[in-house]
């Protein structure tokens, strides 16, 4: 329940009958180990997959581990995702893009840039499931807030106000008396261009 993104993407693919469509590309922003993409590959081996990350070491590890013909790899920051889309010539393809915990590491300036760039991509569905600071979300102030050494809480829906928002919700998975996690929530968003 705290991380509905996997079930939501599977349902989206089923409902839209995309499971055997070789013009569908699933792109993960900040793919780390690559296990999330492999999860979807195990369900839908005929779709195309693009792993993005900022680290060569991670991408090289994935290239060895996931030696599937329909897996591609691209080094880029989230705000440069347009370069990935252009590189693989995806302008007329169906794109399912997702982030599980990665967009929190993008600064507010670049998260705005990211949304500005994906706005130009047609036939894209973006799914986000990232952690957020609940007191920040509840305050309804600002678009983003620094949340630690390297991460931010973002109001993704506010950045995406020019998109069609399919679903947006704040998930509160921890008890209010949990001393360590009580202020941590998950921001789930599904939008389309």
């Amino acid at each position: 329940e705290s991380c509905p993104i996997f079930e939501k993407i599977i349902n989206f693919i089923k409902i839209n009958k995309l499971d055997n469509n070789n013009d569908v590309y699933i792109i993960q922003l900040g793919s780390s180990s690559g296990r999330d993409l492999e999860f979807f590959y195990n369900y839908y081996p005929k779709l195309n997959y693009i792993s993005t990350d900022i680290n060569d070491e991670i991408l090289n590890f994935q290239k060895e581990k996931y030696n599937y013909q329909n897996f591609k790899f691209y080094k880029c920051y989230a705000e440069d995702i347009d370069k990935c889309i252009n590189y693989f010539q995806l302008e007329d393809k169906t794109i399912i893009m997702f982030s599980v915990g990665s967009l929190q590491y993008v600064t507010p300036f670049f998260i705005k840039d990211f949304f500005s760039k994906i706005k130009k991509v047609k036939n894209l569905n973006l799914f986000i499931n990232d952690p957020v600071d609940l007191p920040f979300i509840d305050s309804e102030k600002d678009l983003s807030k620094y949340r630690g050494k390297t991460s931010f809480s973002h109001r993704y829906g506010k950045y995406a106000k020019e998109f069609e928002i399919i679903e947006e919700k704040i998930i509160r998975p921890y008890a209010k008396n949990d001393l360590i996690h009580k202020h941590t929530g998950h921001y789930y968003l599904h939008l389309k261009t």
Side-chain angles (χ1 to χ4, degrees):
E1 292 175 1
S2 67
C3 190
I5 193 167
F6 298 99
E7 181 181 350
K8 297 286 187 177
I9 292 175
I10 287 171
N11 288 338
F12 175 79
I13 292 169
K14 282 181 186 176
I15 290 167
N16 292 284
K17 298 181 173 126
L18 300 173
D19 53 324
N20 289 312
N21 187 333
N22 62 2
D23 280 338
V24 174
Y25 285 77
I26 297 180
I27 301 173
Q28 184 174 10
L29 301 163
S31 56
S32 194
S33 69
R35 293 293 305 267
D36 296 338
L37 286 172
E38 184 183 43
F39 171 84
F40 290 116
Y41 175 81
N42 288 332
Y43 278 88
Y44 305 110
K46 294 182 180 177
L47 301 183
N48 299 288
Y49 298 88
I50 300 175
S51 170
T52 71
D53 207 282
I54 62 170
N55 189 309
D56 284 320
E57 213 174 331
I58 286 172
L59 293 173
N60 289 335
F61 165 79
Q62 287 183 29
K63 287 176 187 175
E64 288 181 28
K65 186 164 177 63
Y66 309 112
N67 190 16
Y68 307 122
Q69 185 177 359
N70 52 344
F71 262 61
K72 306 290 183 218
F73 307 91
Y74 193 82
K75 182 181 178 181
C76 72
Y77 291 93
E79 65 271 14
D80 293 327
I81 197 64
D82 57 322
K83 293 177 183 173
C84 174
I85 290 167
N86 292 335
Y87 180 82
F88 291 108
Q89 301 176 344
L90 305 181
E91 294 81 13
D92 296 322
K93 307 296 183 187
T94 298
I95 300 172
I96 299 168
M97 187 180 297
F98 73 100
S99 167
V100 179
S102 293
L103 287 177
Q104 68 175 318
Y105 299 111
V106 180
T107 65
F109 176 83
F110 288 117
I111 202 78
K112 183 178 179 183
D113 200 27
F114 166 76
F115 280 103
S116 174
K117 288 180 179 177
I118 65 166
K119 182 172 53 175
K120 299 170 186 165
V121 180
K122 59 183 175 183
N123 210 14
L124 177 138
N125 278 267
L126 173 65
F127 294 83
I128 299 171
N129 203 140
D130 272 27
V132 290
D133 178 70
L134 291 172
F136 164 71
I137 291 297
D138 293 340
S139 75
E140 299 185 15
K141 295 179 185 172
D142 302 319
L143 290 175
S144 296
K145 179 187 177 198
Y146 189 61
R147 194 175 70 86
K149 294 181 181 179
T150 59
S151 64
F152 295 85
S153 288
H154 299 293
R155 293 183 200 285
Y156 297 106
K158 299 286 184 192
Y159 282 101
K161 61 186 175 194
E162 297 177 30
F163 296 84
E164 180 183 345
I165 295 179
I166 308 300
E167 185 177 4
E168 177 181 29
K169 66 180 172 179
I170 303 299
I171 302 161
R172 299 170 188 267
Y174 302 105
K176 290 182 181 183
N177 62 354
D178 183 323
L179 298 177
I180 297 172
H181 298 105
K182 67 181 176 182
H183 295 303
T184 302
H186 296 178
Y187 198 120
Y188 174 77
L189 178 70
H190 173 199
L191 64 80
K192 67 184 277 189
T193 57

